[in-house]
Amino acid sequence: MTGGQTLSERELFRIALALLHDERPDFLAAACGDNAALRYEIESLLKAHETSTSFMETPALELSADAGFGSNYPQLDEQAGTVIGPYKLLQKIGEGGMGVVFMAEQQRPVRRQVALKVIKPGMDTRQVIARFEAERQALALMDHPNIAKVFDAGTTENGRPYFVLELVKGVPIIDYCDQEQLPLRERLQLLINVCQAVQHAHQKGIIHRDLKPSNVLVAEYDGRPVPKIIDFGVAKAIGQRLTEQTLFTQFGQIIGTFEYMSPEQARFNQLDVDTRSDTYSLGVLLYELLAGSTPFEKQRRATASFDEIVRIICEEEPPPPSTRLGSSGALPAIAARRSSDPVRLDRLVRGELDWIVMKALDKDRSRRYQTAGALARELQHYLDDEPVEACPPSAMYRLQKLARRNKAALLTVVLVAAALIVGTVASVSQAIRATQAESLATARLNQATEARAHAEANADKARQAVDNMYTQVAEKWLAHQPQMEPVQREFLEKALAFYTDFAKEGGDDPSVRFETARAYRRIAEIKHRLGQPVQAEDAFRQAVDHTQTLVDQFPTKSVYRAELAGTLHKFGVLLGDTGRYLDEEKIHRRALALEEQLTAEHPTNGRYRRDIGRGQWFLAEVLASLHRRPEAEQAYRSALAIQRSLVAESPAGEEHRQYLADTQLGLGKVLRHIGQTEEYQTVFAEATALFEQLADEFPNRPGYRNQLANTYYWRSR
């Protein structure tokens, strides 16, 4: 067993009791080996217990001689119709390791429906009663609108404790959010309320230790969703004594639910569990609200051994939520349950929400949010567009973790990066020396001219080297390998530093000013990709201003107008990602006006036709988001005509086919909404065929698989 320990019969029973029924045979075979008598004894105990608890919901039991170890537990005395004090039991609504919960009717002094929790027969051991009374005391201490209230407590005629709770007629928070298709903002607001309730419990000296969706129910009051935390059955008191009976967690016990359990809860050691364990569980809830699954996927639990599950919780780093979304074949359905589409959902989660989640889930509890209230404030800062505390871990911290997991891949990438950066530094250095030589040798015109030409050539090589690093490595190669995301960020940050330094240099020469404008555009794109929308917007405005000045001064230079239009479209996408759709529409229309001019002046230039086709697609997307479907349909059809002609001219062109498929997908959604069923099916069939081609040709591009899944999803609706 774990750490070379030999577990006792009692400990083996506790662990087996925590497992799913179909997981127990493998566990017992490994734990008991050839000891048939031991296995028979434990299986007899499990059969006698006959519990229906969910995985790891049962708290660890203290089995003593007076508890009848090895004997059958008595059957439950209470059933529907039983009267306990002033309460009449109506129906059983839940069962845990130590208690059974009934919906009951209070008959005096007021009539109301309540939840009544009573200890199970045969479970009245010293420690179980202590835990039960601890839950009663814990709830009595707390008074918060998002924690189920305790009304009463007492004992049955047989002397078993019970207590009476507020009846929460709600559903688990994840199920509620999915059923109501709540967007991310509303999901985050619900979790903020939960965090504030947990903070209240912590201030009262109580750690929940089993926060999970089934213990956070959402009910509607006056048409408003209100989360309620229930089941403090495994709560642990901190800084005070809850009952007169001894209550402590023994060495080797595991309390909680594996998918939501902090590393310190999972370890077989004496590390004391504190409030930051609940913060970790809240981080798991946040992860699931965003990405549709827990960091440690439930499917893996079914096939992993007990030791492997503990190892995963304690050692394995989960992917950020955006990475999990990008690799999910169910992304279209996940996005739909969040009233979004795959592309927008990925953009919303990537960046600050990724950072917040990963900070809450840090294996090292000293690096997590230190309180549930701090996590609530962080989420509120995000909703209010204020700076958040969370940020990507330092380069050294990420590289240390990455080196342990991807040694071969890391070595390859580092070598490529080193070669590019060394080449960049050498080229820039040569450019600077050449520029200095030009200023010092004004009397020698020919030599100065030659030096300047050499400087410009080397500066161009330097910029091109970084462009290659940014586009070829960071955007194309690493972007499609989720496990390499930390390295991709390193590349982006290296490129960002170069472009920032380049932009600061400035100069009066139009070609230098043009390169400066392009540098600001690159800065904005990288900031956007890194999830920093405020800084990205500032850089986009700088890029637009610099390029617009060049357009005003040189109105006949097509390259300046084309660059301005491209920058405006990228700026518009950023505005749309932050919910400013009307501003996004204005920006795209401004860019389209420039592209229409260029197309009219150069009707045979394929690049300008391509740009206006994409511009119409950008405009159509924002009009669809604004639910202005007739205008969106017109823009989609304009884009479709251009993109079909481009694909006909270049059938193998990847980008032309991608935009054509994206446009068909968008048009299909609009046609479906306005009831043009026949054409809708035709357009979706064309989009599906194109995405199937692209997914087959580029199997390492998850974006094509996600869009293909998206078309399947919409065709099935």
Side-chain angles (χ1 to χ4, degrees), residues 435-456:
T435 303
Q436 291 173 342
E438 180 183 17
S439 62
L440 293 173
T442 53
R444 302 173 62 182
L445 181 60
N446 291 337
Q447 292 182 5
T449 302
E450 182 180 350
R452 179 171 179 172
H454 186 63
E456 290 178 351

Side-chain angles (χ1 to χ4, degrees), residues 267-478:
R267 292 189 178 102
F268 283 107
N269 58 27
Q270 295 176 328
L271 176 63
D272 190 38
V273 173
D274 61 23
T275 57
R276 291 170 291 186
S277 183
D278 280 351
T279 305
Y280 182 96
S281 299
L282 290 167
V284 179
L285 280 176
L286 175 58
Y287 193 110
E288 194 168 6
L289 286 168
L290 297 176
S293 72
T294 53
F296 169 30
E297 293 174 294
K298 297 176 183 178
Q299 299 91 317
R300 293 186 66 191
R301 185 196 69 198
T303 56
S305 66
F306 181 80
D307 286 353
E308 175 65 7
I309 291 173
V310 173
R311 186 200 66 77
I312 290 170
I313 295 172
C314 295
E315 299 177 11
E316 193 169 297
E317 292 293 335
S322 63
T323 302
R324 175 62 56 77
L325 282 169
S327 62
S328 173
L331 179 56
I334 294 171
R337 287 195 290 270
R338 286 150 183 77
S339 296
S340 186
D341 61 71
V343 175
R344 286 196 183 278
L345 180 62
D346 176 77
R347 288 173 179 166
L348 286 172
V349 174
R350 188 176 298 277
E352 289 179 329
L353 286 178
D354 271 344
W355 303 344
I356 293 170
V357 170
M358 300 312 288
K359 181 177 176 66
L361 295 180
D362 204 295
K363 304 292 185 188
D364 180 354
R365 59 181 178 175
S366 68
R367 295 175 60 89
R368 290 179 211 150
Y369 295 101
Q370 297 300 287
T371 66
L375 176 56
R377 289 191 296 274
E378 186 83 309
L379 292 172
Q380 192 61 57
H381 288 160
Y382 172 81
L383 292 179
D384 294 340
D385 290 325
E386 296 176 356
V388 298
E389 174 189 341
C391 61
S394 68
M396 182 59 66
Y397 181 79
R398 287 200 306 274
L399 286 172
Q400 286 172 349
K401 287 181 173 290
L402 186 67
R404 288 195 294 268
R405 296 195 305 272
N406 299 286
K407 292 181 180 178
L410 179 64
L411 177 61
T412 301
V413 172
V414 167
L415 290 174
V416 174
L420 288 171
I421 293 168
V422 168
T424 298
V425 171
S427 298
V428 171
S429 177
Q430 291 177 15
I432 293 172
R433 286 198 299 271
T435 303
Q436 291 173 342
E438 180 183 17
S439 62
L440 293 173
T442 53
R444 302 173 62 182
L445 181 60
N446 291 337
Q447 292 182 5
T449 302
E450 182 180 350
R452 179 171 179 172
H454 186 63
E456 290 178 351
N458 280 292
D460 185 63
K461 289 179 182 178
R463 183 186 57 75
Q464 188 62 46
V466 178
D467 273 347
N468 286 338
M469 182 171 68
Y470 173 57
T471 58
Q472 300 298 323
V473 179
E475 286 189 345
K476 292 187 178 179
W477 180 39
L478 295 177

Side-chain angles (χ1 to χ4, degrees), residues 403-709:
R404 288 195 294 268
R405 296 195 305 272
N406 299 286
K407 292 181 180 178
L410 179 64
L411 177 61
T412 301
V413 172
V414 167
L415 290 174
V416 174
L420 288 171
I421 293 168
V422 168
T424 298
V425 171
S427 298
V428 171
S429 177
Q430 291 177 15
I432 293 172
R433 286 198 299 271
T435 303
Q436 291 173 342
E438 180 183 17
S439 62
L440 293 173
T442 53
R444 302 173 62 182
L445 181 60
N446 291 337
Q447 292 182 5
T449 302
E450 182 180 350
R452 179 171 179 172
H454 186 63
E456 290 178 351
N458 280 292
D460 185 63
K461 289 179 182 178
R463 183 186 57 75
Q464 188 62 46
V466 178
D467 273 347
N468 286 338
M469 182 171 68
Y470 173 57
T471 58
Q472 300 298 323
V473 179
E475 286 189 345
K476 292 187 178 179
W477 180 39
L478 295 177
H480 304 298
Q481 300 187 54
Q483 73 275 15
M484 301 301 289
E485 183 170 340
V487 180
Q488 183 197 24
R489 287 185 174 276
E490 293 290 339
F491 271 76
L492 293 176
E493 287 163 2
K494 296 288 186 186
L496 180 63
F498 173 83
Y499 288 121
T500 301
D501 289 342
F502 190 97
K504 289 177 181 177
E505 290 297 324
D508 294 330
D509 188 280
S511 61
V512 174
R513 290 161 55 198
F514 181 56
E515 290 300 330
T516 301
R518 293 179 64 185
Y520 276 117
R521 175 179 172 176
R522 279 297 199 205
I523 292 169
E525 290 171 340
I526 295 172
K527 292 284 189 182
H528 190 185
R529 184 177 286 272
L530 291 174
Q532 300 172 25
V534 175
Q535 299 93 321
E537 182 174 344
D538 289 343
F540 269 126
R541 293 192 185 281
Q542 289 269 29
V544 169
D545 289 346
H546 279 74
T547 315
Q548 183 65 62
T549 301
L550 288 169
V551 170
D552 293 341
Q553 292 179 351
F554 305 96
T556 60
K557 291 222 39 163
S558 300
V559 66
Y560 294 161
R561 282 181 288 164
E563 176 68 18
L564 178 57
T567 302
L568 288 169
H569 281 312
K570 292 290 183 72
F571 188 15
V573 171
L574 171 70
L575 295 174
D577 286 348
T578 57
R580 294 147 67 184
Y581 298 126
L582 291 176
D583 291 337
E584 181 186 7
E585 179 191 1
K586 292 176 183 176
I587 289 285
H588 288 318
R589 289 192 183 280
R590 178 180 167 188
L592 270 170
L594 290 167
E595 289 166 341
E596 286 167 355
Q597 288 178 7
L598 291 167
T599 305
E601 294 170 12
H602 309 277
T604 60
N605 189 313
R607 175 191 170 182
Y608 297 139
R609 280 195 297 133
R610 178 205 68 183
D611 289 348
I612 198 169
R614 293 181 184 181
Q616 289 287 357
W617 178 76
F618 282 127
L619 179 62
E621 290 281 292
V622 70
L623 291 171
S625 297
L626 291 167
H627 302 292
R628 287 157 53 184
R629 294 189 178 105
E631 294 175 76
E633 179 188 0
Q634 182 179 356
Y636 276 128
R637 291 191 187 280
S638 296
L640 198 62
I642 295 172
Q643 286 157 3
R644 277 179 171 156
S645 69
L646 291 171
V647 170
E649 294 170 10
S650 180
E654 178 189 354
E655 290 185 329
H656 294 333
R657 286 183 291 158
Q658 176 191 342
Y659 271 94
L660 176 57
D662 285 337
T663 303
Q664 288 168 330
L665 180 59
L667 177 60
K669 292 178 185 179
V670 170
L671 293 174
R672 184 182 182 277
H673 280 297
I674 63 179
Q676 295 187 28
T677 308
E678 185 174 348
E679 186 180 3
Y680 151 73
Q681 291 291 349
T682 302
V683 170
F684 261 110
E686 293 173 354
T688 303
L690 273 174
F691 280 127
E692 285 175 343
Q693 287 178 13
L694 291 166
D696 288 341
E697 290 178 33
F698 305 98
N700 294 325
R701 307 279 182 88
Y704 292 143
R705 296 196 302 276
N706 291 337
Q707 286 295 68
L708 178 59

